[in-house]
Amino acid sequence: MCWCAGSNSTDCRLTANFLVDFGGFSLIGPYLGQLERTCVSGQTCHIDGFSGALAGSLMVLETCGVLTPSSSLLTADGIFSISTSGAVLGVSSPVTLGASPGQYQLCWCGGDNESFACDDYRHFETDIGQMMILGPRAGQDRTCVTGQECMADGLKGIGLSTADRWFVLETCGLPPVSATVARIPYAGQVLSVTRSGSSIGFGSALVT
């Protein structure tokens, strides 16, 4: 912290006249742009291993400080509280993602909930990195005809592969016994996944 005594003989607009060093200035926060994390839609996501901040919160947004329809992805309000252990910080508890796949920004707020509460997206303006969410894009409806073979081609998403597995269920996430649609082959479990995960089907089995 450098001081200049304003007077008629001293021009405090010139940095050369700030000659008195009266103390230090510390800027607390995470290192900008250091984070690159990948999570998978429908799976548990845990962000950790970053340093440079003492406390605060994270929010995943398309643009830091701006709320869009696909924001508020990770919790009810989209905010991760941060726990601290020495210089290593991490999200206090992992959450399950249900977000559309794509690239988002990790946005930081340095509030401590006492002097300043990080409770609004406009408080999260510091861009500290990126999060890539993998998975299929939403809203991809397909139609099959009863008594015929059934497949879905041209599925779109990020990070799809032939190792992925698919189910046709009445409600995603419920046990197959209670959510299975009657007379779909293999209780609705898709066995054929090809073309890097973009094409799925039940093979030669008929949907009745």
Side-chain angles (χ1 to χ4, degrees):
M1 299 287 288
C2 305
W3 180 76
C4 169
S7 65
N8 293 332
S9 60
T10 304
D11 187 355
C12 288
R13 294 174 298 177
L14 302 176
T15 55
N17 292 328
F18 288 79
L19 300 176
V20 179
D21 182 344
F22 69 92
F25 178 83
S26 297
L27 181 63
I28 298 173
Y31 299 121
L32 303 184
Q34 70 160 357
L35 282 179
E36 290 186 5
R37 297 292 185 267
T38 300
C39 289
V40 180
S41 183
Q43 296 186 11
T44 299
C45 179
H46 197 159
I47 308 170
D48 56 13
F50 62 98
S51 59
L54 297 180
S57 301
L58 283 177
M59 193 170 188
V60 177
L61 297 167
E62 289 184 340
T63 302
C64 290
V66 179
L67 190 65
T68 60
S70 58
S71 299
S72 300
L73 303 173
L74 305 180
T75 63
D77 54 8
I79 298 174
F80 272 139
S81 60
I82 298 177
S83 59
T84 178
S85 175
V88 179
L89 302 178
V91 175
S92 58
S93 60
V95 296
T96 300
L97 294 179
S100 297
Q103 182 171 293
Y104 299 89
Q105 303 305 120
L106 287 167
C107 308
W108 184 77
C109 172
D112 56 11
N113 293 323
E114 293 182 4
S115 59
F116 185 82
C118 296
D119 55 6
D120 189 280
Y121 68 90
R122 286 165 289 195
H123 300 157
F124 293 82
E125 295 188 348
T126 303
D127 186 342
I128 66 170
Q130 298 177 340
M131 171 183 280
M132 179 66 73
I133 298 180
L134 308 181
R137 299 195 182 279
Q140 301 187 72
D141 299 332
R142 296 294 188 272
T143 299
C144 287
V145 179
T146 184
Q148 299 182 12
E149 295 181 5
C150 178
M151 67 170 296
D153 201 7
L155 297 176
K156 297 179 180 180
I158 298 177
L160 302 182
S161 78
T162 54
D164 297 338
R165 292 297 175 259
W166 305 72
F167 250 105
V168 175
L169 300 170
E170 288 187 346
T171 303
C172 293
L174 293 182
V177 174
S178 60
T180 296
V181 182
R183 292 185 293 185
I184 288 186
Y186 317 113
Q189 183 173 9
V190 174
L191 298 185
S192 174
V193 182
T194 58
R195 297 183 182 179
S196 301
S198 67
S199 181
I200 63 175
F202 297 103
S204 59
L206 304 183
V207 175
T208 60

